[in-house]
Amino acid sequence: MTEILVLYYSTHGATRQMAQLIARGIEATAGCSARLRTVPRISTVCEATEADIPTTGAPYVTLDDLLECDGLALGSPTRFGNMAAPMKYFWDSTIADWLKGTLIGKPASVFTSSGTLHGGNESTLLTMMLPLLHHGMLIVGTPYSETALMSTTTGGTPYGPSHWAGTESNQAISDSERVLCLAQGRRLAEVALKLKGISE
């Protein structure tokens, strides 16, 4: 079985919903399964800690998840045009995997959600790619053969799926955004299958 890690951070639930849709797209591909994982919140207060197991959502990611995956979908809400601090904190802890080349040659895609329509979605997607490129991963975007890219009036980019959640984080994922998330999951899974077949 080809397993794709879907790693996300979500504060209001939209990025988690996108992760679930991408996972559905992965699992709609024969021979592929999705492993949903998240990262804990971080705090400027040193004494503050998170529980070992989240109260809701996916389990916390471990470095073993990186080692065992055949591909990665990485998602975070937009924070000033960049990924959220908890996700950045996790990637800053992956130096040992970088040195070992754990992720070299594995496909990856990125996805994001923001409160405003022009709130930095594309810059967030681009900056999320940078640590993945340093790890030697192969970036899988969303091609314009996905016609929802041409018709969306909310989120969706060639760099990866995006969602416009609204300033109150109460806008549902649109039909176009849903289509693009599912399509990205399938595309990532198909690329992972091809790459795995070549390397075996």
Side-chain angles (χ1 to χ4, degrees), residues 158-198:
Y159 312 124
S162 64
H163 168 58
W164 174 31
T167 54
E168 301 297 320
S169 299
N170 59 0
Q171 285 188 175
I173 292 176
S174 72
D175 290 343
S176 294
E177 292 168 345
R178 179 180 304 277
V179 165
L180 291 169
C181 286
L182 291 166
Q184 188 66 31
R186 286 192 303 270
R187 181 170 164 76
L188 181 60
E190 288 164 2
V191 170
L193 282 169
K194 289 176 183 174
L195 289 170
K196 191 173 179 183
I198 289 168

Side-chain angles (χ1 to χ4, degrees), residues 17 83 91 129 136 150 156 177 192:
Q17 290 175 45
M83 73 178 88
W91 284 102
M129 292 177 190
M150 300 297 285
E177 292 168 345

